Amino acid sequence: MLTKTLLILLGLIALAVPVAAALGWLGLTIQYLDSPMPLHRALGDMVWQTGTDFLLVAIPMFILLGEILLRSGIAGRMYDGIMKWLGWLPGGLMHANTGSCALFAATSGSSVATAATIGTVAIPQIEKRGYNEPLFLGTIAAGGTLGILIPPSINLILYGLLTDTSVPELYLAGFLPGFLLAALFMATVVAFCIVRPRWGGEKITVTWSERIRALPSLLPPVGIFVVVVGSIYAGVATPTEAAALGVVAALILAAANRTLTLSMLRAAVEGTMRTTSMIMLIILAAVFLNFVLSIVGLTQALADFVTGLGLTPMQTMLMLIAVLVVIGCFMETLSMLLTTAPLIAPIVVQLGFDPVWFGILLMVILETALITPPIGINLYVVQGVRERGALTDVMKGAAPFVVTMFAMIALLLIFPEIALWLPDLFY
C-alpha cells in the first residue's frame, strides 16, 4: 500500500497536475482501491470543519501583512538600512540580502513573499556593483526560506494545527534556530568571498553617521514584529488576533509614509486572495487525503513498518530525515508539510522525541526543499524576479546554502536545546 500510494503521487506530480488536484485525486483513488466505504461523502463536512477553523484566519492576515509591506515601500527602505549596517562584511550586499530576508520573514511569515520582495529590491544591484551573480541570487533564494522558520511562520501554524502542538511554543522554538541559520548563511558568504574576493563586488564604505541615520528605516519591521509576537506572549492576543494586529500596524505605517492609497490596497488584497485561495485548496485536499489514508490503515502501516525495522530512535530519525529530503526534491513544501506531518509526527513522538523540536527540524528540512531542484519554489521565484538568464544560475548559487542547511540539521540533532531552550524557559 505504501509503494502504491507513493507511485500514484509521483505519477500525478510528473504529469504536472496542480498540487491541490493531485492530493485530491490521490485521496479519491486510494478510497476506490482500498476502502469499502464511500469516504468522499464526508468531504463536505470535512471541508466545512477545516475551513472554519479560527487558527487558519491567520494565513490571509499574514499574507496581507507582507503584501502591504511590499507595496508601501517599507521593504525597500529596510533593505537600504540593513545594507548600511552589514555591507562592510566580505560579500557586501549579499549580507544585506540575508539580513533583510530574516527581518522581513519576522513580519510576513511567508518564504515566497520574502524571496520575491527582497529579490525585487536587490537584484538590480548585481551588475551595478559587480557581484558574482549565481552566489548573489543564491543568498536571496536561501534567505527567503527563513520565512517558514522565523516567527510568525504560516507553516508553524499549520504544523501546530496538524499535530495538536502549541503554536506559541513552536514560535519560541523557532527564534534561535532561525537567526542562527541566518548567521550560518552569512558565514557561508564570508567564506566564499575570502577565497574568491572578486565575488564580493565593490567595497561598500559607509560612515557611522549614515548608519545612525538609517536606523529609522529598520524600526517599522521591528515594530510590527514586536506587535505580532509580543502580543502573543503578553497574553493579549492569539496567533490569529496577533496577525490582524500586524495588518493594522502595517496600514498605520503605510499611512504615515503616505503610500496608503486605494490602488495599493486593491493590489494588496488581490494578491492576498490569490495566494490564500491556493493555500486553502491545498490544505483542504490534504485534509481529505490524510483522512482517507488514516481510514484505510496506511498511517498505522507506516508506523508499524518503521518500528519494525529494529533501529534505534536516532537511526530511525536519520532515516526519516533522508526520506523527507528526497521527497522535498519532488514535492512543493506546503503539500509536503500537510501530507507528511500527520503521518510522521506520531512516529517521532512514539520514539521519544519532542514534537516541538521535531516541528523546527521539519521546518529546516522544508527549507532545503524550497531551494533543491526540480521543485524548489524559491528558485523559480528568484528567477521570475530576475527575468533573464538561466535557472541553473540560481540553482548553482543556492547549492552551498543547501549544505549549510544540512549543517543546521546536524546541529539540531546534536544540540536539541537550540530549539527547546526558549520554550523550556517560558513554559
Side-chain angles (χ1 to χ4, degrees), residues 166-392:
S166 167
V167 173
E169 285 193 53
L170 287 167
Y171 274 9
L172 278 175
F175 276 114
L176 289 180
F179 288 107
L180 175 59
L181 185 57
L184 290 175
F185 285 163
M186 294 173 67
T188 303
V189 171
V190 169
F192 272 94
C193 292
I194 288 175
V195 176
R196 299 285 180 91
R198 293 180 59 187
W199 288 12
E202 69 178 50
K203 186 176 178 60
I204 297 174
T205 304
V206 181
T207 65
W208 275 102
S209 61
E210 289 177 312
R211 290 192 180 106
I212 300 301
R213 286 197 300 271
L215 283 176
S217 63
L218 304 180
L219 293 179
V222 172
I224 291 176
F225 176 76
V226 171
V227 167
V228 173
V229 178
S231 62
I232 295 174
Y233 295 111
V236 176
T238 65
T240 301
E241 293 163 345
L245 287 174
V247 171
V248 173
L251 289 171
I252 293 172
L253 288 172
N257 288 320
R258 299 181 181 178
T259 53
L260 183 60
T261 63
L262 190 60
S263 59
M264 187 276 280
L265 277 178
R266 182 169 60 246
V269 171
E270 286 177 356
T272 300
M273 291 301 294
R274 281 194 297 270
T275 306
T276 303
S277 300
M278 175 194 72
I279 291 175
M280 286 304 299
L281 274 175
I282 295 174
I283 289 173
L284 296 175
V287 167
F288 174 66
L289 173 62
N290 291 331
F291 170 70
V292 172
L293 295 181
S294 177
I295 293 297
V296 300
L298 185 62
T299 305
Q300 189 58 46
L302 178 61
D304 293 341
F305 171 75
V306 171
T307 54
L309 292 174
L311 303 175
T312 65
M314 184 54 70
Q315 289 172 336
T316 304
M317 178 58 68
L318 292 173
M319 183 193 71
L320 291 174
I321 291 171
V323 171
L324 288 169
V325 168
V326 173
I327 291 175
C329 294
F330 302 98
M331 203 169 185
E332 186 271 330
T333 51
L334 182 61
S335 54
M336 178 180 166
L337 170 64
L338 293 170
T339 52
T340 59
L343 294 174
I344 294 178
I347 299 173
V348 169
V349 173
Q350 186 176 334
L351 292 170
F353 293 102
D354 191 294
V356 173
W357 170 84
F358 179 69
I360 301 306
L361 181 70
L362 181 58
M363 293 305 120
V364 179
I365 296 171
L366 292 177
E367 286 185 314
T368 66
L370 281 168
I371 57 173
T372 48
I375 313 290
I377 287 184
N378 274 21
L379 302 176
Y380 295 95
V381 170
V382 172
Q383 178 63 17
V385 173
R386 182 189 181 202
E387 294 183 336
R388 60 181 174 80
L391 178 64
T392 52

Side-chain angles (χ1 to χ4, degrees), residues 10-96:
L10 292 176
L12 290 169
I13 292 173
L15 292 171
V17 176
V19 172
L23 297 179
W25 276 112
L26 178 60
L28 291 172
T29 303
I30 297 300
Q31 169 202 270
Y32 287 122
L33 291 177
D34 297 307
S35 173
M37 299 175 287
L39 300 179
H40 65 275
R41 292 185 181 179
L43 188 57
D45 184 60
M46 198 177 306
V47 166
W48 173 257
Q49 287 189 1
T50 303
T52 55
D53 193 305
F54 181 65
L55 190 60
L56 290 181
V57 180
I59 294 175
M61 289 291 103
F62 280 127
I63 295 171
L64 180 58
L65 172 57
E67 289 278 344
I68 293 171
L69 291 177
L70 169 61
R71 299 176 191 279
S72 63
I74 294 173
R77 286 188 288 275
M78 175 192 73
Y79 183 85
D80 184 66
I82 291 180
M83 179 270 289
K84 287 182 169 62
W85 281 93
L86 298 180
W88 62 273
L89 291 166
L93 289 182
M94 288 189 274
H95 298 291

